[in-house]
Amino acid sequence: MENKNKIFEYLMIVFGNLLVAIAVSFFILPNNILTGGVAGVVVAIQPLVPIDSVILIDILTVSLFLLGFLFLGKQFAARTLLSTIVYPVGISIFSIVYDLFPKGTFIMEPYLASIYAGLICGLGLGICFRVNASTGGMDIPALILHKYTHISSGNSVAIIDVLTILLGLVIHGLEPALIGILSVFTSSVAINRAVLLGTENALNCMIISDKWIDIRNYLVNEMERGVTILDGIGGYTEQYHPVVMCVIKQKQLSLLKSKIMEIDSSAFIIVNNVNEVHGEGFTYGLE
């Protein structure tokens, strides 16, 4: 089973890297999109560094891999090693494939190329992040930021990408940078969606009521949800109030609120989004 999981993870790393390579080869480089990532850095500094784009991507990818080895550890570096090979090789292959198409096939409005590049790159990065790997390149600084600040992986990538675009702003001007921001935004959304794909969306409900026992009984016996009772003290009254905390499926919220209002119309309810839930009593609960 462990070997099968390893094989699956490696396949996801390869697939994620190939998606990013497709976005770079068919959308970013042909249209000079100031997006994030190594390709964005290459586009930004191309006027200052007269080196072929593919070669420059290879140099930056290897350099950042060494940075990841120092800050993210040997295990992470071992997984990223595969990306460091697949990503530049993928770009080289897809660059050849690109030349097989009629000239101008993938030349389009910059904003359109920016959106599609962001979506495809974000999906590829998110797939790699799901197995704790990286496509190499500029997402390594992003994961270092995520490790030491606990900012979400998608937002960390967005921060690094914005810094890359600011570099492009200085060199290329305002309009290309604004188009790049569009790519960064779509990439960040796609990363977070890909990371959470297949997980169970849920809601965390916290209920304060004098009739908390009845509410607890309803949650446990009728809705068959697990319940935690927290100790609460009113900030103004300084009186003790038990707080009923329960994680429910989104489709159960309307029913729960109606029942709570039926039990106690003055109950205080707080509802928060929960991106991921695992464990007996929820993951394996009733649908």
Side-chain angles (χ1 to χ4, degrees):
M1 181 63 70
E2 184 176 350
N3 289 334
K4 289 184 178 180
N5 290 336
K6 288 290 183 182
I7 293 173
F8 175 77
E9 290 177 0
Y10 292 145
L11 289 175
M12 290 299 99
I13 293 170
V14 170
F15 181 56
N17 277 277
L18 291 180
L19 283 177
V20 177
I22 287 172
V24 171
S25 301
F26 293 100
F27 294 97
I28 295 175
L29 294 181
N31 295 282
N32 292 317
I33 301 301
L34 275 175
T35 186
V38 169
V41 173
V42 168
V43 171
I45 66 176
Q46 192 66 54
L48 306 177
V49 184
I51 301 176
D52 180 75
S53 298
V54 175
I55 294 176
L56 194 53
I57 286 175
D58 293 346
I59 294 172
L60 288 175
T61 299
V62 174
S63 299
L64 289 166
F65 167 76
L66 297 176
L67 185 68
F69 176 79
L70 292 175
F71 286 94
L72 298 174
K74 294 180 180 179
Q75 183 177 2
F76 177 84
R79 295 189 179 193
T80 308
L81 178 61
L82 178 59
S83 298
T84 305
I85 296 171
V86 173
Y87 176 57
V89 169
I91 289 178
S92 298
I93 293 174
F94 290 128
S95 295
I96 296 173
V97 174
Y98 174 86
D99 291 334
L100 299 177
F101 287 89
K103 188 176 181 180
T105 299
F106 295 96
I107 303 300
M108 60 190 73
E109 291 294 332
Y111 74 89
L112 191 60
S114 180
I115 291 173
Y116 278 99
L119 289 174
I120 298 172
C121 275
L123 180 60
L125 290 171
I127 288 172
C128 290
F129 288 173
R130 282 177 68 97
V131 293
N132 193 33
S134 159
T135 58
M138 294 304 293
D139 56 312
I140 289 179
L143 290 176
I144 292 174
L145 180 64
H146 169 65
K147 177 180 179 180
Y148 291 100
T149 65
H150 304 295
I151 298 173
S152 72
S153 55
N155 291 335
S156 297
V157 171
I159 292 172
I160 298 299
D161 287 349
V162 167
L163 293 176
T164 303
I165 290 175
L166 289 176
L167 174 64
L169 172 64
V170 174
I171 300 174
H172 292 269
L174 180 61
E175 184 176 343
L178 292 177
I179 293 173
I181 290 175
L182 182 62
S183 177
V184 168
F185 175 77
T186 54
S187 178
S188 178
V189 172
I191 288 171
N192 287 327
R193 292 293 184 182
V195 169
L196 296 175
L197 184 66
T199 59
E200 185 74 62
N201 289 326
L203 298 171
N204 180 39
C205 298
M206 302 184 72
I207 307 149
I208 302 174
S209 170
D210 291 334
K211 299 181 180 179
W212 65 272
I213 295 178
D214 294 334
I215 295 172
R216 180 202 62 187
N217 291 340
Y218 172 76
L219 285 165
V220 173
N221 299 323
E222 300 296 327
M223 297 191 73
E224 298 186 328
R225 298 290 90 189
V227 171
T228 300
I229 306 300
L230 306 176
D231 290 333
I233 299 176
Y236 179 75
T237 63
E238 297 185 354
Q239 294 181 352
Y240 171 74
H241 292 285
V243 179
V244 179
M245 184 180 76
C246 181
V247 177
I248 63 172
K249 299 180 185 295
Q250 290 184 339
K251 63 185 179 183
Q252 295 176 311
L253 178 61
S254 179
L255 176 62
L256 177 59
K257 287 196 299 184
S258 298
K259 188 62 180 181
I260 291 175
M261 290 297 99
E262 183 181 318
I263 295 173
D264 182 6
S265 59
S266 61
F268 190 79
I269 308 171
I270 302 171
V271 180
N272 295 310
N273 286 316
V274 178
N275 289 326
E276 184 172 353
V277 180
H278 291 287
E280 187 175 1
F282 189 89
T283 306
Y284 308 107
L286 294 179
E287 299 296 326

